[in-house]
Amino acid sequence: MGRLVTKHTSSKSVAFIIVASFFISLVPLHPVRVHADELTPRSLTNTNSFTDADDVTYRAEFTIATAGPLGSISVMFCSNTPLVDQPCDPPVGFDASNVLLGTQLGEVGFSLYSGSTSNVIILTRPPQPASATNVTYDLTKIHNPSVSGPLFARILTYASSDGTGQPIDTGGMALYIHPSVDITAEVPPYLTFCLGENISGVDCSTATEPFSDMGNFSPNLTSAAQHQVVIATNAPDGYSMWATGTSMTSGGNVLVPMTGGTSVKGTSQFGINLRANTIPVIGQNSAGPGVAAVTPNYAQPNHFRFNSGDMLATAPVPDDYRKYTISYVVNIPAGQPGGVYSATLTYVCLANF
């Protein structure tokens, strides 16, 4: 404002002195900022949290805070911070270039925007009204970072269809990528083979002594006995079992080895097979979780044979426990010389590597 002051002098002259004061009021100008609402609650989970894991699914779940037009959702992966107003450093090794959109719940109708990058996934749809509701989106076929440590994610919603413009709602999250764990183990090759007069189930620890006493021979009686064996292997080509030895003998007296016929009382016979028989009643069919098979010459019920070196059973692939019952039959004629008759048989089982 201005003031007018009059001053009188001795010469009666009048001087006019104008004193003016100016006041300028400065009003600070603040930039106008639009604050996005926060997505609460929100979460991000993955199906694999190890470094360099491939084909990982990330599930984003959150509640839309602001009702109104919604055309796109951006999911941004960063290595440095979850804060949406800070620069985003792409995580080393992280790759969402081949991402696919799976489950959509809540606000739906989205597809993948072509402008998505290896670490920024944009879901797009024509803008349409959205309500404040819970939503879920599955992002699949993602490759995890190659470096362990925190992995940050930012979710931003937009009215536009291409993730541009002022965000409507935002939220940041963090999860942890763990170092890859390599677990190695070696399964050594094995062959399990046990023999006894009797074995409970396929438990080799229950095998009884490997001897059989056939009692007294008689022309009117077929004498019979049995042994049982259990075999299992992880050998790539399975296993084979043979029998070697001689027929029943007493000194120079030998019972005739059978060549595949039936048991006939009153004749000289010694034979074996690996089946359940009814004439005589002796033996059992092979049993257990394995699938190995008896060779044809020893697999016909009521037919017996013995030839040293014959293969009795075989498996062409790795096989689980299998139990075989080996039946022996002896017949003698009326004129068979007396004596103590015995036979020693050796059973050999080899894994096929």
Side-chain angles (χ1 to χ4, degrees):
M1 67 181 179
R3 285 191 302 149
L4 179 61
V5 178
T6 302
K7 184 176 181 182
H8 296 279
T9 66
S10 59
S11 60
K12 297 183 184 229
S13 61
V14 178
F16 297 94
I17 300 175
I18 300 174
V19 179
S21 298
F22 297 94
F23 299 92
I24 300 174
S25 176
L26 299 178
V27 179
L29 299 177
H30 296 284
V32 178
R33 173 175 289 178
V34 177
H35 294 278
D37 287 332
E38 186 175 1
L39 298 168
T40 304
R42 59 186 180 269
S43 68
L44 185 70
T45 57
N46 58 17
T47 56
N48 191 324
S49 61
F50 290 111
T51 55
D52 275 326
D54 205 11
D55 197 14
V56 181
T57 296
Y58 282 76
R59 167 166 285 192
E61 297 180 279
F62 54 92
T63 299
I64 292 176
T66 306
L70 176 63
S72 59
I73 299 172
S74 174
V75 183
M76 183 181 301
F77 293 88
C78 311
S79 63
N80 55 325
T81 176
L83 301 178
V84 297
D85 58 353
Q86 297 296 314
C88 173
D89 296 335
V92 176
F94 183 90
D95 190 2
S97 300
N98 299 314
V99 67
L100 297 177
L101 176 58
T103 299
Q104 301 184 52
L105 299 175
E107 290 295 331
V108 298
F110 287 94
S111 60
L112 292 167
Y113 179 58
S114 59
S116 299
T117 67
S118 61
N119 72 305
V120 180
I121 302 169
I122 300 175
L123 309 183
T124 180
R125 73 177 185 183
Q128 55 187 279
S131 60
T133 185
N134 299 328
V135 297
T136 298
Y137 303 102
D138 283 347
L139 308 172
T140 68
K141 301 294 182 181
I142 293 177
H143 186 89
N144 272 358
S146 56
V147 178
S148 63
L151 174 65
F152 302 105
R154 311 171 187 181
I155 297 179
L156 305 93
T157 67
Y158 298 88
S160 66
S161 293
D162 58 0
T164 61
Q166 183 67 35
I168 303 170
D169 298 330
T170 65
M173 290 160 290
L175 41 74
Y176 197 87
I177 300 299
H178 300 275
S180 297
V181 178
D182 293 328
I183 300 176
T184 60
E186 180 181 356
V187 178
Y190 73 86
L191 171 68
T192 299
F193 177 49
C194 60
L195 180 146
E197 191 171 17
N198 288 285
I199 300 175
S200 177
V202 291
D203 184 359
C204 283
S205 67
T206 66
T208 59
E209 72 284 345
F211 303 101
S212 291
D213 186 351
M214 304 186 78
N216 295 322
F217 295 153
S218 168
N220 301 317
L221 175 68
T222 297
S223 298
Q226 72 170 35
H227 278 121
Q228 293 185 317
V229 298
V230 171
I231 307 173
T233 187
N234 66 348
D237 298 316
Y239 64 84
S240 299
M241 178 177 66
W242 296 268
T244 62
T246 63
S247 177
M248 300 282 289
T249 63
S250 177
N253 301 313
V254 180
L255 298 181
V256 177
M258 300 177 68
T259 58
T262 59
S263 172
V264 180
K265 298 175 184 177
T267 62
S268 178
Q269 293 180 320
F270 172 77
I272 67 174
N273 75 8
L274 283 73
R275 291 296 302 273
N277 304 287
T278 56
I279 307 174
V281 178
I282 187 70
Q284 300 176 34
N285 294 328
S286 54
V291 296
V294 178
T295 54
N297 284 339
Y298 295 88
Q300 186 175 351
N302 300 324
H303 279 67
F304 300 88
R305 168 189 175 90
F306 178 74
N307 181 54
S308 180
D310 275 357
M311 185 181 296
L312 303 183
T314 184
V317 295
D319 200 43
D320 207 343
Y321 289 92
R322 193 75 168 163
K323 180 168 75 173
Y324 306 93
T325 299
I326 305 169
S327 302
Y328 309 90
V329 294
V330 171
N331 288 298
I332 62 170
Q336 183 70 33
V340 177
Y341 288 77
S342 65
T344 299
L345 301 183
T346 300
Y347 293 94
V348 179
C349 186
L350 296 178
N352 301 322
F353 291 100

